[in-house]
Amino acid sequence: QRDGYIRFHPGDKLSIFVHSRDEQLMNLFNISGRNGGTNMMSNSQNYAPYTVDDNGEIDFPVLGNIKIEGMTRDQVQKTIKEQLVANSLYKDPIVTVSFYNMTFSVLGSAGTGVKQINKDRITLMEAIAMGDLNINGLRKNVLVMRQEGDNQVPYRVDLTSAESVYNSPVYYIRQNDIIYVEPNDMAKRGSTVMGSSAYTPGFWFGMFSSIVSIGLLIWNIAK
């Protein structure tokens, strides 16, 4: 969707924390994944994740299966809160939802690495800034690979054109996107197996050394 919010899909993981003054209720809903026991921390990343199943649902304690496919974090929080109140489990619960190990990748001349999604919306420019775009990157032909259904769909974006960036379907990044910034010709020529080429100082130094060595050898033979 064009609003750019990260939405949950089958296979995604999320952490959910329900706050209550009643510790027994907290123990019922909050399953610790890191601290070895439930505590009063409101950071839901401390708790075991829920995985969205193939039906777009999570299996939540007491409430059972809850359909969250296509929802944002705020929508999931609101849905769980409403169901807790409707089932007379809480009067005014505080529900916190966090992304759990949801990522995108940046490759090529923008650095190489897997980046954590820690906010509800991330633009392509922000995503590239989280990498390390260097001077040798081709800004006019950035590739974004996105999983859409069973297909991996490629998109090309010209970062030098505001219109190209803003109108692109990948203006906002989604989980599991792969961003590749291709190196320019100079960078390609300068990155051979031996780390030098005909266009680098290393190549010319090596060539000069070889010529001198051959010249000395011929001179010694001639003597």
Side-chain angles (χ1 to χ4, degrees), residues 29 50 57-67 83 87:
F29 290 104
Y50 295 87
E57 300 175 336
I58 57 171
D59 185 6
F60 198 73
V62 181
L63 298 180
N65 290 338
I66 302 175
K67 185 82 169 184
Q83 292 199 26
N87 284 274

Side-chain angles (χ1 to χ4, degrees), residues 107-121:
L107 305 172
S109 288
T112 299
V114 177
K115 309 298 179 181
Q116 295 287 331
I117 293 175
N118 54 16
K119 55 189 296 189
D120 293 302
R121 293 195 295 182

Side-chain angles (χ1 to χ4, degrees), residues 144-155:
V144 179
M145 298 294 295
R146 171 168 292 174
Q147 190 71 32
E148 296 185 357
D150 295 329
N151 300 317
Q152 193 85 2
V153 180
Y155 294 93

